[in-house]
Amino acid sequence: TALYKGIVPTMLRQGINTAGNFTAFQFCKAKWQEFSGKEELAPWQHMLCGGFSGGVGPTINNPLDVVKTRMQKQVIVHGQPPRYSSIMQALSLIVREEGIAALWKGLTPRLLRLMPGQAITFMTYEFVSKQIQNLKSS
């Protein structure tokens, strides 16, 4: 049905995005701590790691985002097969007809929207977590 068009690539995209995002944040945070020799990072450092991680997820999952968008936007005519019938079929059709770079169409606006939001989110999360830990220990 129309309500569920593109739901599988959407779920995969979100899972990959979240995994990439949190993995990249923890990696960046650990490397920065190792490089600086400090256990605690400043809020601006968390913000930069969050911005970095906010770019990793979308870059990894953009091919699925392209497939999701095309599956959701396609008009299905009764009696005719849909242009995009599955994730793999859509991926191969897009690459065959438009080249592999087409799988990263729209990445720049996504990064411009998501990276600042993730920077703020992770900085805020780390700040609030530290405040809660301080309350618990006092």
Side-chain angles (χ1 to χ4, degrees):
T1 67
L3 181 62
Y4 294 103
K5 274 173 49 176
I7 194 166
V8 172
T10 299
M11 292 187 316
L12 287 171
R13 179 194 72 150
Q14 286 307 111
I16 291 169
N17 183 64
T18 301
N21 199 351
F22 280 93
T23 301
F25 179 76
Q26 291 301 326
F27 176 80
C28 180
K29 185 177 157 184
K31 288 297 177 187
W32 205 321
Q33 288 168 323
E34 180 184 316
F35 178 74
S36 69
K38 296 179 181 178
E39 197 170 309
E40 291 288 327
L41 298 180
W44 67 269
Q45 293 167 316
H46 287 131
M47 184 175 71
L48 289 178
C49 285
F52 164 73
S53 73
V56 170
T59 301
I60 293 169
N61 75 25
N62 208 76
L64 283 171
D65 193 57
V66 169
V67 168
K68 171 206 66 93
T69 301
R70 292 189 185 197
M71 289 179 88
Q72 288 175 333
K73 286 183 68 175
Q74 71 182 337
V75 176
I76 299 175
V77 178
H78 184 69
Q80 293 181 8
R83 178 164 172 77
Y84 305 110
S85 58
S86 71
I87 295 171
M88 294 310 293
Q89 180 270 342
L91 285 169
S92 64
L93 182 63
I94 292 166
V95 169
R96 187 170 57 249
E97 290 184 349
E98 302 173 50
I100 197 156
L103 297 176
W104 281 271
K105 282 184 176 179
L107 179 61
T108 301
R110 285 185 73 208
L111 293 176
L112 290 173
R113 178 175 56 88
L114 295 172
M115 289 176 73
Q118 287 303 302
I120 293 166
T121 298
F122 276 112
M123 180 184 69
T124 303
Y125 168 78
E126 290 290 336
F127 177 80
V128 171
S129 292
K130 184 178 177 182
Q131 298 307 311
I132 291 171
Q133 288 300 328
N134 289 342
L135 286 173
K136 283 183 177 181
S137 61
S138 59

